[in-house]
Amino acid sequence: MQTSLQPIFIRGLRIDPPLLLAPMAGLTHTVLRQVLLGFGGVGLLSTEMLSAKRLPTENPAISPYLIRTASEKPLSYQLLISMAGEIARAIDVLHAVHADAVDLNMGCPAPAVGRFGAGFSLMEQPENVRPIIAEARKRTSLPLTAKIRLGTELDEQRLRSFCTMLEDEGIDMLSVHARLKHESFARRPRWEHIAGIKERLKIPVIANGGIFSVQDAKDCLAASGADGLMLGRGAVIRPWLFAETARELCGNSIAEPAVFLPTVYGRFLDLLFEHFTPERRLGRLKQFTTYFARNYAFGHHLATKVQASNSVEEARERASRFFAKAHNTVVTECTEKSLP
Ligand SMILES: Cc1cc2nc3c(=O)[nH]c(=O)nc-3n(C[C@H](O)[C@H](O)[C@H](O)COP(=O)(O)O)c2cc1C
């Protein structure tokens, strides 16, 4: 049974500790990444999914999807892609912004994404995947990774042959969100099904889904035997979760995180002002707060008050009042129950 993790090396990229940030639309932008880096323990950061078709029209200096600071390294950029013809120009952009890795989204089950043949629908049409990987492989020597779900239904053979195909075509590392296409986030993730994939592949396999505590990370590792773990919502609720996990599972000598929730929230707000234009701030604050509020027994009050705010200033004021009253209602446990 696997109980610890070793650094991962792919094409000259060192992922140490092998703890990865999950790509999350509206959440994994420069501000959250910087907050995470403040605590440490992240081996590979990520953007949210970026439309390969639209990417060449974005201005990296002002695009909310592309702005980043030099400290955000290593940083993987995730592409939402449906055909090989979209690859070349998208990869040119990723080279220009100094991407450290390129990830291909093959797991997003949203119907709006599937209609264009992207996201999870690539898992349903493996014949469309080969030319995309072949073209990407031709265009870049950066690490090329993929993120998948377990499938439409449990079909071990189909899943394994899909993953083997990814490896054979040149994917360097595979992240697996341990749920089926239509399974909601409320369902317990099927970490044990990652073990079958790991057994088959030579490339590193990363387990994702439902890690909200160090204990979850240990359980996920034991069940999956993965080479690394990918944290999503758990790290939005607790940006220090990477640091805690790195200490426990990777023998990392990182300092024990000192956490004062209002300070973490304040840092997020300050960075929002620093990096985003006014019209981009409030939506991102609301989305972050939905998760961060889970640190409090009555966090739904915080989330509701921020949701109802008409400006970031108003939200900040309301949050300050909440923090002043709620300091002794901090919770130490958090589960997936009813989380979006
Ligand atoms: C708000 C939100 C946005 C997401 N956006 C993406 C995305 O852009 N690309 C992607 O591959 N997965 C996306 N996901 C899925 C996550 O990467 C991850 O697989 C999922 O949240 C399970 O991991 P977790 O339980 O650690 O959050 C998103 C999930 C959430 C909650």
Side-chain angles (χ1 to χ4, degrees):
M1 189 170 74
Q2 198 173 342
T3 54
S4 66
L5 288 165
Q6 302 304 319
I8 291 172
F9 295 89
I10 42 169
R11 286 188 180 251
L13 174 67
R14 180 185 166 95
I15 304 177
D16 181 15
L19 302 176
L20 288 70
L21 176 62
M24 288 180 288
L27 287 169
T28 46
H29 42 67
T30 183
V31 169
L32 181 73
R33 293 192 300 251
Q34 289 182 63
V35 170
L36 293 170
L37 286 175
F39 290 102
V42 197
L44 183 62
L45 294 160
S46 180
T47 65
E48 60 188 89
M49 58 184 166
L50 307 166
S51 156
K53 207 186 280 180
R54 286 206 302 268
L55 199 52
T57 65
E58 297 283 339
N59 176 348
I62 54 169
S63 163
Y65 311 109
L66 294 179
I67 43 177
R68 69 179 283 191
T69 56
S71 66
E72 292 160 61
K73 275 189 90 60
L75 176 57
S76 167
Y77 286 69
Q78 191 190 57
L79 291 180
L80 190 64
I81 189 146
S82 60
M83 56 181 106
E86 297 166 355
I87 280 277
R89 291 180 67 214
I91 285 194
D92 284 349
V93 175
L94 300 190
H95 287 158
V97 298
H98 306 295
D100 296 297
V102 179
D103 186 51
L104 302 177
N105 182 325
M106 301 186 193
C108 178
V113 164
R115 267 197 294 282
F116 295 102
F120 183 84
S121 70
L122 289 174
M123 284 194 79
E124 289 167 323
Q125 291 155 343
E127 66 283 4
N128 293 351
V129 176
R130 287 178 198 275
I132 291 175
I133 301 178
E135 181 65 10
R137 206 51 302 166
K138 205 165 79 189
R139 300 279 172 180
T140 187
S141 55
L142 286 172
L144 186 60
T145 65
K147 180 164 177 280
I148 63 169
R149 281 194 176 214
L150 293 175
T152 311
E153 57 206 334
L154 277 182
D155 182 339
E156 295 280 330
Q157 207 177 333
R158 188 183 162 100
L159 176 61
R160 287 178 197 191
S161 73
F162 183 79
C163 295
T164 307
M165 181 272 286
L166 295 179
E167 180 176 80
D168 291 346
E169 295 298 321
I171 290 293
D172 297 309
M173 181 174 74
L174 180 65
S175 307
V176 186
H177 177 189
R179 289 197 174 87
L180 297 168
K181 179 182 181 184
H182 294 296
E183 283 178 342
S184 86
F185 285 172
R187 193 201 183 281
R188 197 188 70 78
R190 303 169 186 266
W191 296 322
E192 63 284 4
H193 287 272
I194 296 175
I197 302 175
K198 165 71 195 144
E199 220 169 68
R200 270 291 177 92
L201 303 187
K202 292 186 272 303
I203 57 173
V205 174
I206 309 298
N208 167 242
I211 299 174
F212 290 92
S213 64
V214 172
Q215 189 57 50
D216 289 339
K218 287 181 178 169
D219 293 346
C220 175
L221 186 58
S224 66
D227 300 290
L229 303 176
M230 178 181 269
L231 278 55
R233 294 161 300 154
V236 185
I237 300 170
R238 301 199 162 114
W240 53 94
L241 183 57
F242 275 105
E244 287 180 345
T245 309
R247 280 167 60 88
E248 287 277 330
L249 290 184
C250 312
N252 204 299
S253 57
I254 206 164
E256 191 171 344
V259 179
F260 182 57
L261 294 173
T263 308
V264 179
Y265 197 77
R267 167 103 176 116
F268 187 93
L269 271 162
D270 290 346
L271 289 167
L272 266 184
F273 276 93
E274 199 177 313
H275 295 284
F276 287 115
T277 52
E279 69 279 8
R280 305 280 192 194
R281 292 174 193 149
L282 188 58
R284 285 175 174 77
L285 181 65
K286 287 180 177 178
Q287 202 172 344
F288 173 70
T289 308
T290 303
Y291 295 92
F292 189 76
R294 296 288 172 137
N295 287 300
Y296 292 92
F298 302 102
H300 53 284
H301 291 308
L302 172 63
T304 310
K305 287 193 170 95
V306 169
Q307 281 302 330
S309 299
N310 293 311
S311 68
V312 175
E313 290 74 10
E314 186 178 24
R316 188 200 283 266
E317 178 59 36
R318 290 174 169 183
S320 297
R321 267 186 264 135
F322 175 87
F323 291 138
K325 279 199 229 146
H327 59 275
N328 54 4
T329 66
V330 175
V331 295
T332 52
E333 296 239 327
C334 169
T335 65
E336 238 173 347
K337 226 169 116 214
S338 74
L339 256 186

